[in-house]
CSV table of all heavy atoms in Angstrom, one decimal:
chain,number,residue,atom,x,y,z
A,133,ALA,N,-18.6,4.6,44.3
A,133,ALA,CA,-19.2,3.7,43.3
A,133,ALA,C,-18.2,3.2,42.3
A,133,ALA,O,-18.1,2.1,41.9
A,133,ALA,CB,-20.4,4.4,42.6
A,134,MET,N,-17.3,4.2,41.9
A,134,MET,CA,-16.3,3.8,40.9
A,134,MET,C,-15.3,2.8,41.5
A,134,MET,O,-14.9,1.9,40.8
A,134,MET,CB,-15.5,5.1,40.5
A,134,MET,CG,-14.4,4.9,39.5
A,134,MET,SD,-15.1,4.2,38.0
A,134,MET,CE,-13.6,3.9,37.1
A,135,LEU,N,-14.9,3.0,42.8
A,135,LEU,CA,-14.0,2.0,43.4
A,135,LEU,C,-14.7,0.6,43.5
A,135,LEU,O,-14.0,-0.4,43.3
A,135,LEU,CB,-13.7,2.5,44.8
A,135,LEU,CG,-12.9,3.8,44.9
A,135,LEU,CD1,-12.7,4.3,46.3
A,135,LEU,CD2,-11.5,3.7,44.2
A,136,ILE,N,-16.0,0.6,43.7
A,136,ILE,CA,-16.7,-0.7,43.7
A,136,ILE,C,-16.7,-1.2,42.3
A,136,ILE,O,-16.4,-2.4,42.1
A,136,ILE,CB,-18.1,-0.5,44.3
A,136,ILE,CG1,-18.1,-0.2,45.8
A,136,ILE,CG2,-19.0,-1.7,44.0
A,136,ILE,CD1,-19.4,0.3,46.3
A,137,ALA,N,-17.0,-0.4,41.3
A,137,ALA,CA,-17.1,-0.8,39.9
A,137,ALA,C,-15.8,-1.4,39.4
A,137,ALA,O,-15.8,-2.3,38.5
A,137,ALA,CB,-17.6,0.3,39.1
A,138,CYS,N,-14.7,-0.9,39.9
A,138,CYS,CA,-13.4,-1.4,39.5
A,138,CYS,C,-13.2,-2.9,39.8
A,138,CYS,O,-12.4,-3.6,39.2
A,138,CYS,CB,-12.2,-0.7,40.2
A,138,CYS,SG,-12.0,1.0,39.5
A,139,GLN,N,-14.1,-3.5,40.6
A,139,GLN,CA,-14.0,-4.9,40.9
A,139,GLN,C,-14.2,-5.7,39.6
A,139,GLN,O,-13.7,-6.9,39.6
A,139,GLN,CB,-15.2,-5.2,41.8
A,139,GLN,CG,-15.3,-6.7,42.2
A,139,GLN,CD,-16.6,-7.0,42.9
A,139,GLN,OE1,-17.6,-6.3,42.7
A,139,GLN,NE2,-16.6,-8.0,43.7
A,140,ILE,N,-14.8,-5.2,38.6
A,140,ILE,CA,-15.0,-6.0,37.4
A,140,ILE,C,-13.8,-6.0,36.4
A,140,ILE,O,-13.8,-6.7,35.4
A,140,ILE,CB,-16.3,-5.6,36.6
A,140,ILE,CG1,-16.2,-4.2,36.1
A,140,ILE,CG2,-17.5,-5.9,37.5
A,140,ILE,CD1,-17.4,-3.8,35.2
A,141,LEU,N,-12.8,-5.1,36.7
A,141,LEU,CA,-11.7,-5.0,35.8
A,141,LEU,C,-10.8,-6.3,36.0
A,141,LEU,O,-10.8,-6.9,37.1
A,141,LEU,CB,-10.9,-3.8,36.1
A,141,LEU,CG,-11.6,-2.4,35.9
A,141,LEU,CD1,-10.8,-1.3,36.4
A,141,LEU,CD2,-12.0,-2.3,34.4
A,142,PRO,N,-10.0,-6.6,35.0
A,142,PRO,CA,-9.0,-7.7,35.2
A,142,PRO,C,-8.1,-7.4,36.4
A,142,PRO,O,-7.8,-6.3,36.8
A,142,PRO,CB,-8.2,-7.7,33.9
A,142,PRO,CG,-9.1,-7.0,32.9
A,142,PRO,CD,-9.9,-6.0,33.7
A,143,GLU,N,-7.7,-8.5,37.1
A,143,GLU,CA,-7.0,-8.4,38.4
A,143,GLU,C,-5.8,-7.5,38.3
A,143,GLU,O,-5.6,-6.6,39.2
A,143,GLU,CB,-6.6,-9.8,38.8
A,143,GLU,CG,-5.9,-9.8,40.2
A,143,GLU,CD,-5.6,-11.2,40.7
A,143,GLU,OE1,-5.9,-12.1,40.0
A,143,GLU,OE2,-5.0,-11.2,41.8
A,144,ASP,N,-4.9,-7.6,37.3
A,144,ASP,CA,-3.7,-6.8,37.3
A,144,ASP,C,-4.1,-5.3,37.1
A,144,ASP,O,-3.5,-4.5,37.8
A,144,ASP,CB,-2.8,-7.2,36.1
A,144,ASP,CG,-2.1,-8.5,36.4
A,144,ASP,OD1,-2.1,-9.0,37.5
A,144,ASP,OD2,-1.6,-9.1,35.4
A,145,GLU,N,-5.0,-5.0,36.2
A,145,GLU,CA,-5.4,-3.6,36.0
A,145,GLU,C,-6.1,-3.1,37.2
A,145,GLU,O,-5.8,-1.9,37.6
A,145,GLU,CB,-6.3,-3.6,34.8
A,145,GLU,CG,-6.9,-2.2,34.5
A,145,GLU,CD,-7.8,-2.2,33.3
A,145,GLU,OE1,-8.2,-3.2,32.8
A,145,GLU,OE2,-8.3,-1.1,33.0
A,146,ARG,N,-7.0,-3.8,37.8
A,146,ARG,CA,-7.7,-3.4,39.0
A,146,ARG,C,-6.7,-3.1,40.1
A,146,ARG,O,-6.8,-2.0,40.8
A,146,ARG,CB,-8.7,-4.5,39.4
A,146,ARG,CG,-9.5,-4.2,40.7
A,146,ARG,CD,-10.4,-5.3,41.0
A,146,ARG,NE,-9.8,-6.5,41.5
A,146,ARG,CZ,-9.8,-7.7,40.9
A,146,ARG,NH1,-10.5,-7.9,39.8
A,146,ARG,NH2,-9.1,-8.7,41.5
A,147,THR,N,-5.8,-4.0,40.4
A,147,THR,CA,-4.9,-3.8,41.5
A,147,THR,C,-4.0,-2.6,41.3
A,147,THR,O,-3.8,-1.8,42.2
A,147,THR,CB,-4.1,-5.1,41.7
A,147,THR,OG1,-5.0,-6.2,42.0
A,147,THR,CG2,-3.1,-5.0,42.9
A,148,HIS,N,-3.5,-2.5,40.1
A,148,HIS,CA,-2.6,-1.4,39.8
A,148,HIS,C,-3.3,0.0,39.9
A,148,HIS,O,-2.8,0.9,40.5
A,148,HIS,CB,-2.0,-1.5,38.4
A,148,HIS,CG,-1.2,-0.4,37.9
A,148,HIS,ND1,0.1,-0.1,38.4
A,148,HIS,CD2,-1.5,0.7,37.1
A,148,HIS,CE1,0.6,1.0,37.9
A,148,HIS,NE2,-0.4,1.5,37.1
A,149,TYR,N,-4.5,0.0,39.3
A,149,TYR,CA,-5.3,1.3,39.4
A,149,TYR,C,-5.7,1.7,40.8
A,149,TYR,O,-5.5,2.8,41.2
A,149,TYR,CB,-6.5,1.2,38.5
A,149,TYR,CG,-7.4,2.4,38.5
A,149,TYR,CD1,-7.0,3.6,38.0
A,149,TYR,CD2,-8.6,2.4,39.2
A,149,TYR,CE1,-7.8,4.7,38.0
A,149,TYR,CE2,-9.4,3.5,39.3
A,149,TYR,CZ,-9.0,4.7,38.7
A,149,TYR,OH,-9.8,5.8,38.7
A,150,LEU,N,-6.2,0.7,41.6
A,150,LEU,CA,-6.6,1.1,42.9
A,150,LEU,C,-5.5,1.4,43.8
A,150,LEU,O,-5.6,2.3,44.7
A,150,LEU,CB,-7.5,-0.1,43.5
A,150,LEU,CG,-8.8,-0.3,42.8
A,150,LEU,CD1,-9.5,-1.5,43.3
A,150,LEU,CD2,-9.7,0.9,42.9
A,151,LYS,N,-4.3,0.8,43.7
A,151,LYS,CA,-3.2,1.2,44.5
A,151,LYS,C,-2.7,2.6,44.1
A,151,LYS,O,-2.2,3.3,44.9
A,151,LYS,CB,-2.0,0.1,44.3
A,151,LYS,CG,-2.4,-1.1,45.1
A,151,LYS,CD,-1.2,-2.1,45.0
A,151,LYS,CE,-1.6,-3.4,45.8
A,151,LYS,NZ,-0.5,-4.4,45.7
A,152,HIS,N,-2.8,2.9,42.8
A,152,HIS,CA,-2.4,4.2,42.3
A,152,HIS,C,-3.4,5.3,42.9
A,152,HIS,O,-2.9,6.3,43.4
A,152,HIS,CB,-2.5,4.3,40.8
A,152,HIS,CG,-2.4,5.6,40.2
A,152,HIS,ND1,-1.2,6.3,40.1
A,152,HIS,CD2,-3.4,6.5,39.7
A,152,HIS,CE1,-1.5,7.5,39.6
A,152,HIS,NE2,-2.7,7.6,39.3
A,153,ILE,N,-4.7,5.0,43.0
A,153,ILE,CA,-5.6,5.9,43.6
A,153,ILE,C,-5.2,6.1,45.1
A,153,ILE,O,-5.3,7.3,45.6
A,153,ILE,CB,-7.1,5.3,43.5
A,153,ILE,CG1,-7.5,5.4,42.0
A,153,ILE,CG2,-8.0,6.1,44.4
A,153,ILE,CD1,-7.7,6.7,41.4
A,154,LYS,N,-4.9,5.0,45.8
A,154,LYS,CA,-4.5,5.2,47.2
A,154,LYS,C,-3.3,6.1,47.4
A,154,LYS,O,-3.2,6.8,48.3
A,154,LYS,CB,-4.2,3.8,47.7
A,154,LYS,CG,-5.2,3.2,48.6
A,154,LYS,CD,-4.8,1.8,49.0
A,154,LYS,CE,-4.5,1.7,50.5
A,154,LYS,NZ,-4.4,0.4,51.0
A,155,LYS,N,-2.4,6.0,46.5
A,155,LYS,CA,-1.1,6.8,46.6
A,155,LYS,C,-1.3,8.2,46.2
A,155,LYS,O,-0.6,9.1,46.7
A,155,LYS,CB,0.0,6.2,45.7
A,155,LYS,CG,0.5,4.9,46.3
A,155,LYS,CD,1.6,4.3,45.4
A,155,LYS,CE,2.0,2.9,45.8
A,155,LYS,NZ,3.0,2.3,44.9
A,156,THR,N,-2.2,8.5,45.2
A,156,THR,CA,-2.2,9.8,44.6
A,156,THR,C,-3.4,10.7,45.0
A,156,THR,O,-3.5,11.8,44.6
A,156,THR,CB,-2.2,9.7,43.1
A,156,THR,OG1,-3.4,8.9,42.7
A,156,THR,CG2,-0.9,9.1,42.6
A,157,HIS,N,-4.4,10.1,45.7
A,157,HIS,CA,-5.6,10.9,46.1
A,157,HIS,C,-5.8,10.8,47.6
A,157,HIS,O,-5.5,9.7,48.2
A,157,HIS,CB,-6.8,10.3,45.4
A,157,HIS,CG,-6.8,10.5,44.0
A,157,HIS,ND1,-6.1,9.7,43.1
A,157,HIS,CD2,-7.5,11.4,43.2
A,157,HIS,CE1,-6.3,10.2,41.9
A,157,HIS,NE2,-7.1,11.2,41.9
A,158,PRO,N,-6.2,11.8,48.3
A,158,PRO,CA,-6.6,11.7,49.7
A,158,PRO,C,-7.9,10.8,49.7
A,158,PRO,O,-8.8,11.1,49.0
A,158,PRO,CB,-6.9,13.1,50.1
A,158,PRO,CG,-7.1,13.9,48.8
A,158,PRO,CD,-6.4,13.2,47.8
A,159,ILE,N,-7.8,9.8,50.5
A,159,ILE,CA,-9.0,8.9,50.6
A,159,ILE,C,-9.5,8.8,52.1
A,159,ILE,O,-8.7,8.8,53.0
A,159,ILE,CB,-8.7,7.5,50.0
A,159,ILE,CG1,-7.6,6.8,50.7
A,159,ILE,CG2,-8.5,7.6,48.5
A,159,ILE,CD1,-7.3,5.4,50.3
A,160,SER,N,-10.7,8.6,52.2
A,160,SER,CA,-11.3,8.4,53.5
A,160,SER,C,-11.2,6.9,54.0
A,160,SER,O,-10.8,6.1,53.2
A,160,SER,CB,-12.8,8.7,53.5
A,160,SER,OG,-13.5,7.8,52.7
A,161,LEU,N,-11.5,6.6,55.2
A,161,LEU,CA,-11.4,5.3,55.7
A,161,LEU,C,-12.4,4.4,54.9
A,161,LEU,O,-12.0,3.3,54.5
A,161,LEU,CB,-11.8,5.2,57.2
A,161,LEU,CG,-11.8,3.8,57.8
A,161,LEU,CD1,-10.5,3.1,57.6
A,161,LEU,CD2,-12.2,3.9,59.3
A,162,SER,N,-13.6,4.9,54.6
A,162,SER,CA,-14.5,4.1,53.8
A,162,SER,C,-14.0,3.8,52.4
A,162,SER,O,-14.1,2.7,51.9
A,162,SER,CB,-15.9,4.7,53.7
A,162,SER,OG,-15.8,6.0,53.1
A,163,GLU,N,-13.3,4.7,51.8
A,163,GLU,CA,-12.8,4.5,50.5
A,163,GLU,C,-11.6,3.5,50.6
A,163,GLU,O,-11.5,2.7,49.7
A,163,GLU,CB,-12.3,5.8,49.9
A,163,GLU,CG,-13.5,6.7,49.5
A,163,GLU,CD,-13.1,8.1,49.2
A,163,GLU,OE1,-12.0,8.6,49.7
A,163,GLU,OE2,-13.8,8.8,48.5
A,164,GLU,N,-10.8,3.6,51.6
A,164,GLU,CA,-9.7,2.6,51.8
A,164,GLU,C,-10.3,1.2,51.9
A,164,GLU,O,-9.7,0.3,51.3
A,164,GLU,CB,-8.9,3.0,53.0
A,164,GLU,CG,-7.6,2.1,53.1
A,164,GLU,CD,-6.7,2.6,54.2
A,164,GLU,OE1,-6.8,3.8,54.6
A,164,GLU,OE2,-5.8,1.8,54.6
A,165,LEU,N,-11.4,1.1,52.7
A,165,LEU,CA,-12.0,-0.2,52.9
A,165,LEU,C,-12.6,-0.8,51.5
A,165,LEU,O,-12.4,-1.9,51.2
A,165,LEU,CB,-13.0,-0.2,53.9
A,165,LEU,CG,-12.5,0.1,55.4
A,165,LEU,CD1,-13.7,0.3,56.3
A,165,LEU,CD2,-11.7,-1.1,55.8
A,166,ILE,N,-13.2,0.1,50.8
A,166,ILE,CA,-13.7,-0.3,49.5
A,166,ILE,C,-12.6,-0.7,48.5
A,166,ILE,O,-12.7,-1.7,47.8
A,166,ILE,CB,-14.6,0.9,48.9
A,166,ILE,CG1,-15.8,1.1,49.7
A,166,ILE,CG2,-15.0,0.5,47.4
A,166,ILE,CD1,-16.6,2.4,49.3
A,167,ILE,N,-11.5,0.0,48.5
A,167,ILE,CA,-10.4,-0.3,47.7
A,167,ILE,C,-9.9,-1.7,48.0
A,167,ILE,O,-9.7,-2.6,47.2
A,167,ILE,CB,-9.2,0.7,47.8
A,167,ILE,CG1,-9.6,2.0,47.1
A,167,ILE,CG2,-7.9,0.2,47.3
A,167,ILE,CD1,-8.7,3.2,47.3
A,168,GLU,N,-9.7,-2.0,49.3
A,168,GLU,CA,-9.2,-3.3,49.7
A,168,GLU,C,-10.2,-4.4,49.3
A,168,GLU,O,-9.8,-5.5,48.9
A,168,GLU,CB,-8.9,-3.3,51.2
A,168,GLU,CG,-7.7,-2.5,51.7
A,168,GLU,CD,-6.5,-2.8,50.9
A,168,GLU,OE1,-6.1,-4.1,50.8
A,168,GLU,OE2,-5.8,-1.9,50.4
A,169,TRP,N,-11.5,-4.1,49.5
A,169,TRP,CA,-12.5,-5.1,49.1
A,169,TRP,C,-12.5,-5.3,47.6
A,169,TRP,O,-12.5,-6.5,47.2
A,169,TRP,CB,-13.9,-4.5,49.6
A,169,TRP,CG,-15.0,-5.4,49.1
A,169,TRP,CD1,-15.5,-6.5,49.7
A,169,TRP,CD2,-15.8,-5.3,48.0
A,169,TRP,NE1,-16.5,-7.1,49.0
A,169,TRP,CE2,-16.7,-6.3,47.9
A,169,TRP,CE3,-15.8,-4.3,46.9
A,169,TRP,CZ2,-17.7,-6.4,46.9
A,169,TRP,CZ3,-16.8,-4.4,45.9
A,169,TRP,CH2,-17.7,-5.5,45.9
A,170,SER,N,-12.4,-4.3,46.8
A,170,SER,CA,-12.4,-4.4,45.4
A,170,SER,C,-11.1,-5.2,44.9
A,170,SER,O,-11.2,-6.0,43.9
A,170,SER,CB,-12.4,-3.0,44.7
A,170,SER,OG,-13.7,-2.5,44.8
A,171,ILE,N,-10.0,-4.9,45.5
A,171,ILE,CA,-8.8,-5.6,45.1
A,171,ILE,C,-8.9,-7.1,45.4
A,171,ILE,O,-8.5,-8.0,44.6
A,171,ILE,CB,-7.5,-5.1,45.9
A,171,ILE,CG1,-7.2,-3.7,45.3
A,171,ILE,CG2,-6.3,-6.0,45.8
A,171,ILE,CD1,-6.1,-2.9,46.0
A,172,ASN,N,-9.5,-7.5,46.5
A,172,ASN,CA,-9.6,-8.9,47.0
A,172,ASN,C,-10.8,-9.6,46.5
A,172,ASN,O,-10.9,-10.8,46.8
A,172,ASN,CB,-9.5,-8.9,48.5
A,172,ASN,CG,-8.1,-8.4,49.0
A,172,ASN,OD1,-7.1,-8.8,48.4
A,172,ASN,ND2,-8.2,-7.5,50.0
A,173,ASN,N,-11.8,-9.0,45.9
A,173,ASN,CA,-13.0,-9.7,45.5
A,173,ASN,C,-13.2,-9.5,44.0
A,173,ASN,O,-13.5,-8.4,43.6
A,173,ASN,CB,-14.2,-9.2,46.3
A,173,ASN,CG,-14.1,-9.6,47.7
A,173,ASN,OD1,-14.3,-10.7,48.1
A,173,ASN,ND2,-13.7,-8.6,48.6
A,174,LYS,N,-13.2,-10.5,43.2
A,174,LYS,CA,-13.4,-10.5,41.8
A,174,LYS,C,-14.8,-10.7,41.4
A,174,LYS,O,-15.4,-11.7,41.9
A,174,LYS,CB,-12.5,-11.6,41.1
A,174,LYS,CG,-12.6,-11.7,39.7
A,174,LYS,CD,-11.9,-10.6,39.0
A,174,LYS,CE,-11.8,-10.9,37.5
A,174,LYS,NZ,-12.3,-9.8,36.7
A,175,LYS,N,-15.4,-9.9,40.6
A,175,LYS,CA,-16.7,-10.1,40.0
A,175,LYS,C,-16.5,-10.7,38.6
A,175,LYS,O,-15.8,-10.2,37.8
A,175,LYS,CB,-17.5,-8.8,39.9
A,175,LYS,CG,-18.9,-9.0,39.5
A,175,LYS,CD,-19.7,-7.8,39.7
A,175,LYS,CE,-21.1,-8.1,39.2
A,175,LYS,NZ,-22.1,-7.5,40.0
A,176,TYR,N,-17.2,-11.8,38.3
A,176,TYR,CA,-16.9,-12.6,37.1
A,176,TYR,C,-17.8,-12.3,35.9
A,176,TYR,O,-17.6,-12.8,34.9
A,176,TYR,CB,-17.0,-14.1,37.5
A,176,TYR,CG,-15.9,-14.5,38.3
A,176,TYR,CD1,-16.0,-14.6,39.7
A,176,TYR,CD2,-14.6,-14.7,37.8
A,176,TYR,CE1,-15.0,-15.0,40.5
A,176,TYR,CE2,-13.5,-15.0,38.6
A,176,TYR,CZ,-13.7,-15.2,40.0
A,176,TYR,OH,-12.7,-15.5,40.8
A,177,ASN,N,-18.8,-11.4,36.1
A,177,ASN,CA,-19.7,-11.2,34.9
A,177,ASN,C,-19.3,-10.1,34.0
A,177,ASN,O,-20.0,-9.1,33.8
A,177,ASN,CB,-21.2,-11.1,35.4
A,177,ASN,CG,-21.4,-9.8,36.1
A,177,ASN,OD1,-20.5,-9.2,36.7
A,177,ASN,ND2,-22.6,-9.3,36.1
A,178,MET,N,-18.0,-10.1,33.6
A,178,MET,CA,-17.5,-9.0,32.8
A,178,MET,C,-18.1,-9.1,31.3
A,178,MET,O,-18.2,-10.1,30.7
A,178,MET,CB,-16.0,-9.1,32.7
A,178,MET,CG,-15.3,-8.9,34.0
A,178,MET,SD,-13.6,-8.7,34.0
A,178,MET,CE,-13.0,-9.7,32.6
A,179,ALA,N,-18.4,-7.9,30.8
A,179,ALA,CA,-18.9,-7.8,29.4
A,179,ALA,C,-18.5,-6.4,29.0
A,179,ALA,O,-18.3,-5.5,29.8
A,179,ALA,CB,-20.4,-8.0,29.4
A,180,THR,N,-18.5,-6.2,27.7
A,180,THR,CA,-18.4,-4.8,27.2
A,180,THR,C,-19.8,-4.3,26.8
A,180,THR,O,-20.7,-5.1,26.6
A,180,THR,CB,-17.5,-4.8,25.9
A,180,THR,OG1,-18.1,-5.5,24.9
A,180,THR,CG2,-16.1,-5.3,26.2
């Protein structure tokens, strides 16, 4: 869910963070697919 939620972060921050997760944590195939999806798909309704 967190990997999906990262989709709303700014592109640079999202990409850096998700690539860091890929390098530093053991991830499953489903998590790898979610990371790639989150990196490549921007959600535009950002708010605090």
Side-chain angles (χ1 to χ4, degrees):
M134 181 61 186
L135 296 173
I136 291 168
C138 285
Q139 179 193 29
I140 66 174
L141 297 174
E143 184 176 359
D144 289 345
E145 178 181 1
R146 177 179 74 239
T147 301
H148 176 76
Y149 177 69
L150 293 174
K151 286 181 177 181
H152 170 75
I153 291 296
K154 256 177 112 167
K155 288 179 184 175
T156 60
H157 293 78
I159 58 171
S160 66
L161 177 60
S162 62
E163 291 166 333
E164 187 172 342
L165 292 171
I166 294 168
I167 287 172
E168 291 305 314
W169 177 83
S170 289
I171 287 172
N172 294 315
N173 293 283
K174 175 77 172 127
K175 185 167 179 146
Y176 291 99
N177 68 336
M178 294 188 332
T180 63

